[in-house]
Amino acid sequence: ELVLKVRIQTPNLRENDFIEIELDRQELTYNELLRVSCHELGVNPEHVQKIRKLPNTMLRKDKDVARLQDFQELELVLTVSDKNLLFRVPTLSEQSGYNKKASELTY
């Protein structure tokens, strides 16, 4: 597995932590990187304008992805009109650990 650090580019936020993702070294393609990154970050792949290898290199094709090394830092750059999605507060049922049956108990 190749381990990469990925985050969404959000220059407005003070905290913008990376998450680590794992890619199968047999499937190092741009589309697989995009798919796994979007899944882990909860982003629609259609909203990604580009993937940037920090500090300033745009990934464009499978060969670019094949050259990545463990723990390299990547950012997903979203289309401008979709950045508001980052600030949407998840509903209670979308939050991890939410138990619908427990919330319906009455005392």
Side-chain angles (χ1 to χ4, degrees), residues 52-74:
R52 176 184 298 131
K53 179 175 76 169
L54 295 178
N56 58 5
T57 304
M58 184 172 66
L59 298 179
R60 301 173 295 135
K61 54 190 175 187
D62 294 348
K63 285 186 177 184
D64 297 342
V65 175
R67 286 190 291 268
L68 294 174
Q69 302 294 316
D70 276 330
F71 301 103
Q72 283 195 291
E73 296 177 345
L74 307 175

Side-chain angles (χ1 to χ4, degrees), residues 19-81:
I19 63 166
E20 291 182 355
I21 63 167
E22 296 84 25
L23 292 176
D24 186 339
R25 289 188 187 270
Q26 305 304 318
E27 296 182 30
L28 286 181
T29 64
Y30 182 88
N31 285 335
E32 183 66 5
L33 171 61
L34 179 63
R35 185 190 69 77
V36 172
S37 298
C38 288
H39 176 76
E40 292 290 328
L41 291 168
V43 173
N44 185 330
E46 294 176 5
H47 297 156
V48 176
Q49 180 181 359
K50 62 185 172 182
I51 300 175
R52 176 184 298 131
K53 179 175 76 169
L54 295 178
N56 58 5
T57 304
M58 184 172 66
L59 298 179
R60 301 173 295 135
K61 54 190 175 187
D62 294 348
K63 285 186 177 184
D64 297 342
V65 175
R67 286 190 291 268
L68 294 174
Q69 302 294 316
D70 276 330
F71 301 103
Q72 283 195 291
E73 296 177 345
L74 307 175
E75 280 186 335
L76 300 184
V77 180
L78 303 184
T79 55
V80 175
S81 62

Side-chain angles (χ1 to χ4, degrees), residues 75-89:
E75 280 186 335
L76 300 184
V77 180
L78 303 184
T79 55
V80 175
S81 62
D82 296 317
K83 286 188 179 175
N84 292 334
L85 295 175
L86 295 176
F87 303 104
R88 186 179 70 83
V89 176

